[in-house]
Structures are given as structure tokens and as C-alpha cells.
Amino acid sequence: MKKTSQLPYRIDQEELFQRMRISKDRPKYKEFERSYQSLLETLPDLLEIQALHVLKRNNEDKKIHKGLCEVSHIVYCMVTLGPKISEVSTKYFMDKDFLKGLMIDSMADILLFNASNDYYETVKKDVYEDQGYALTLRYSPDDNIIPMQVQKTILDHVNAEELLPVGITKGFMYNPVKTLGYVYGADKSIELAKKDHDCIMCSNITCEYRSIDV
């Protein structure tokens, strides 16, 4: 029986403000700081970060990515923040509090990205250290090379609709939206990748977390 992992949250004001292009010379910088602190205090009530992964044989007729053609197994992973944080963001926009709406949404993006990074250690221990399957880099569905339909494949393999509060729309978007699905190749005859993911290998060139120039 697969078990979900409960994950802590991790966020940094400096990173958030950098992504939102909020600098100290902005006229309303103190207002931004107050909004951040106010939202930060609400996070424990808004977050239920859960993650799940499963190791399965790589026997899909159509491979997810050319980098996963030769490995014997695939690790399907999912991380979600739960629905509350997006519901709160939507309410702020409905109430025309656009600053807090945008800020809590940006916070959620960072929280989700950090949670998926932190979950790598759990996946590595289970699949590599305990079972002996080395991991490739992470691969995620996007609009370029890996079709968004793979989001449904991941959802099905981890049995997320039963074990997590996650569903999927007809357009293959996760519900709640602050959810990530991704995969690793796994094989006993390869070396462990030196890192979880590498922006050079990712085809999603519009990702705001991309750390290389294109």
C-alpha cells in the first residue's frame, strides 16, 4: 500500500520579492512587507503539503521522453499543496485585493517548487538507497516536448485520486492547481544523476524558475 508523505513548507521573502520584482526603492515597499507577513502567518492553516511516488516497470508503449527509453523503470511522483491556498488567492481577487491575491499565488508557486525539491531526498532514499535503482534527472510534462496528457498518466500511476485530494480536468490540468506531477527514470545499471533536475535538460523555456539563459 502506497503511503503519502506530509511535507513541511519552506519560503523566503527575498526570493518572493525578487520574483515579484519588488525592490526596496518601491514607494509602497513597507506595504508589501506588511502583506507578506500577514500572509505568512496564515500559511499553517492553508497548507496540506502531501507527496506520493511509485516505482513501476517502464513498459508503456509510448515513452514519455527520449531520455527515458532505455531505463527499466519509471518513478511517478506527485506533490500538492492542497486546495485551500488557491481558494484564498481567488477570494482576494474577488474582493479586489489584488496585491494579496498576486502575492499568495506567487508564494504558492515557490512553496510547491520547494516542496518538490525537498521530496527528492525521500524518493532517492526509497528507490536508490533501499531498492538499488539509480535515478535519472527529473522530467516534467510541459507544452513543448512532453505532452500535457502525461499529467493523467502520472495521476493514474500514483493513484492520486484515491490517495491525494487531486483530480484532473479535461484539459489535463491538475485540480487543485498547485500540484506537480513528474517522473524519473530508474535503473540498476546506470549511475545516479548528480542533481534532481537541470534546467538545461528542460524544454519548458518559459518556466519562471529556469536558471539559464535561452
Side-chain angles (χ1 to χ4, degrees), residues 3-212:
K3 293 183 179 180
T4 61
S5 296
Q6 304 289 325
L7 302 177
Y9 65 89
R10 178 168 59 88
I11 192 164
D12 177 75
Q13 177 182 319
E14 183 177 350
E15 178 186 5
L16 173 70
F17 280 19
Q18 182 179 11
R19 295 197 181 280
M20 294 187 68
R21 295 176 174 79
I22 298 173
S23 58
K24 291 185 177 181
D25 58 358
R26 294 278 293 273
K28 295 185 177 181
Y29 183 78
K30 290 297 183 182
E31 180 181 344
F32 294 135
E33 281 195 317
R34 287 193 295 270
S35 294
Y36 172 77
Q37 289 300 324
S38 173
L39 293 171
L40 187 66
E41 292 173 4
T42 69
L43 289 183
D45 295 325
L46 300 182
L47 295 173
E48 188 179 0
I49 308 178
Q50 298 183 75
L52 188 64
H53 70 275
V54 62
L55 175 72
K56 291 196 172 184
R57 289 201 63 84
N58 186 17
N59 55 11
E60 296 276 351
D61 291 335
K62 187 174 182 181
K63 302 306 180 187
I64 294 173
H65 186 277
K66 63 182 180 180
L68 300 173
C69 290
E70 303 301 326
V71 292
S72 63
H73 289 71
I74 300 291
V75 184
Y76 299 90
C77 304
M78 183 165 285
V79 178
T80 183
L81 301 185
K84 291 182 181 179
I85 194 164
S86 293
E87 292 169 358
V88 167
S89 176
T90 298
K91 187 176 187 308
Y92 278 128
F93 280 112
M94 291 179 65
D95 294 341
K96 301 189 184 307
D97 190 340
F98 300 114
L99 171 57
K100 283 190 175 179
L102 286 168
M103 187 171 285
I104 195 70
D105 189 69
S106 296
M107 290 171 74
D109 288 338
I110 292 173
L111 288 161
L112 183 59
F113 192 74
N114 287 346
S116 70
N117 287 344
D118 295 343
Y119 189 55
Y120 175 68
E121 293 303 319
T122 299
V123 175
K124 185 172 71 171
K125 183 180 185 309
D126 175 32
V127 176
Y128 176 60
E129 296 177 12
D130 294 349
Q131 299 187 63
Y133 291 91
L135 298 167
T136 67
L137 293 168
R138 181 198 302 193
Y139 293 89
S140 303
D142 56 53
D143 293 324
N144 296 292
I145 294 177
I146 303 177
M148 294 304 292
Q149 288 89 328
V150 173
Q151 301 229 105
K152 179 68 164 59
T153 303
I154 297 169
L155 182 91
D156 291 341
H157 277 299
V158 300
N159 197 17
E161 290 182 290
E162 180 177 335
L163 299 174
L164 293 173
V166 176
I168 198 164
T169 69
K170 291 182 179 179
F172 302 104
M173 301 300 293
Y174 290 132
N175 181 26
V177 295
K178 300 308 180 184
T179 300
L180 280 179
Y182 51 95
V183 302
Y184 301 93
D187 201 301
K188 292 188 175 182
S189 64
I190 64 173
E191 292 187 4
L192 179 71
K194 290 182 171 56
K195 59 177 77 172
D196 175 10
H197 59 90
D198 189 336
C199 290
I200 288 178
M201 301 295 291
C202 180
S203 61
N204 187 5
I205 61 174
T206 62
C207 174
E208 65 174 346
Y209 295 97
R210 194 172 181 87
S211 59
I212 61 171

